[in-house]
Structures are given as structure tokens and as C-alpha cells.
């Protein structure tokens, strides 16, 4: 209702996109995140979510593009950058691009060895 009442409020579009995402409505979330990325405070979050939407739809090349776009603007290894690298690694893995996936996981491993299942993923590569 609020988005219809205030159609130019990009923060509301971002919030609506998150609701759609959490509810599993990927297509509706995708549409709202595309609009919300024009909101400077939520730009990077929106781009990462766009990648996640494309990834969920199996459109891996488009997901990679969004993740790389977001990473280009992330200068320090923040929680958001760790998340984005992780999602990019998962996407490369799903594409069968094992080397690129491992490169993402190694970047995370170098910064935070305890992050999700990255330690297992990296160690599995060296156990071969």
C-alpha cells in the first residue's frame, strides 16, 4: 500500500523487494530491486540481491555480472563483501567454473577462515 501511495520512494521499493524475496517471489523481488538500486543508500544491497535473484532463476551469467558490479565498489573486506564473494563462488560452482569458485572462496578464507563453509570448501581442494 505504501509503495502505491509513494511510488517515488525508493527505500519503500527496497523494503518491498526484501519482503518479496523472503516470501519466495523472486520475479517480483527482481523488479523492485532493479528500481531500488537507484537509491544511493541501498544501491549495493540491491545489486547483490539482483545477483541472488538471477542466481535463483538459474540465470547464472547475469548473476555473475551483478556480483562483479557490486564487488567493484567494495573496497574493504566487509561482511557484505564476504557475502557477495560467497554468492559469486556458489554461482561459479553451479556453472561448473570450479577454478573461479575456488578463487572466490580463497579470498574469503584469507579474510575469515570461519565464514560459513568456506574452510571446508578450500581444504577439500587441497586434499586432492
Amino acid at each position: 500500500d505504501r509503495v502505491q501511495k509513494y511510488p517515488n520512494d525508493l527505500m519503500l521499493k527496497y523494503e518491498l523487494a526484501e519482503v518479496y524475496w523472503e516470501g519466495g517471489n523472486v520475479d517480483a523481488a527482481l523488479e523492485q530491486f532493479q528500481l531500488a538500486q537507484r537509491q544511493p543508500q541501498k544501491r549495493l544491497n540491491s545489486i547483490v540481491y539482483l545477483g541472488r535473484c538471477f542466481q535463483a532463476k538459474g540465470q547464472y551469467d547475469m548473476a555473475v555480472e551483478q556480483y562483479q558490479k557490486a564487488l567493484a565498489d567494495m573496497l574493504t573486506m566487509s561482511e557484505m563483501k564476504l557475502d557477495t564473494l560467497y554468492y559469486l563462488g556458489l554461482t561459479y560452482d553451479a556453472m561448473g567454473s570450479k577454478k573461479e569458485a575456488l578463487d572466490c572462496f580463497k579470498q574469503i578464507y584469507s579474510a575469515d577462515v570461519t565464514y560459513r563453509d568456506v574452510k571446508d570448501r578450500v581444504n577439500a581442494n587441497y586434499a586432492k
Side-chain angles (χ1 to χ4, degrees):
D1 289 342
R2 290 175 26 218
V3 171
Q4 288 178 340
K5 188 173 181 180
Y6 305 105
N8 295 325
D9 189 330
L10 299 176
M11 285 297 268
L12 290 177
K13 291 189 182 297
Y14 179 83
E15 291 172 18
L16 179 60
E18 282 187 314
V19 169
Y20 283 144
W21 174 258
E22 295 299 325
N25 190 344
V26 176
D27 288 325
L30 180 64
E31 182 180 330
Q32 294 303 313
F33 283 126
Q34 285 176 331
L35 296 170
Q37 70 179 320
R38 293 183 300 206
Q39 165 47 268
Q41 294 152 316
K42 293 296 182 181
R43 181 179 171 277
L44 283 178
N45 289 22
S46 295
I47 293 170
V48 172
Y49 267 119
L50 284 172
R52 293 183 70 191
C53 288
F54 288 129
Q55 183 179 359
K57 293 170 64 75
Q59 298 169 329
Y60 300 129
D61 58 332
M62 295 173 75
V64 166
E65 202 175 286
Q66 295 302 313
Y67 294 139
Q68 289 176 338
K69 181 177 171 182
L71 286 167
D73 288 344
M74 296 179 193
L75 304 179
T76 60
M77 191 57 83
S78 63
E79 190 68 27
M80 179 186 268
K81 186 168 184 174
L82 291 171
D83 289 342
T84 305
L85 281 168
Y86 187 76
Y87 298 134
L88 178 59
L90 292 178
T91 304
Y92 278 135
D93 196 45
M95 295 170 72
S97 300
K98 303 299 182 193
K99 180 191 178 307
E100 289 84 356
L102 182 61
D103 287 345
C104 292
F105 297 136
K106 285 164 81 175
Q107 286 182 59
I108 297 168
Y109 187 84
S110 294
D112 183 355
V113 72
T114 65
Y115 186 84
R116 298 189 190 190
D117 63 348
V118 168
K119 178 170 58 172
D120 295 336
R121 289 176 179 274
V122 171
N123 288 340
N125 178 69
Y126 287 101
K128 294 178 182 178

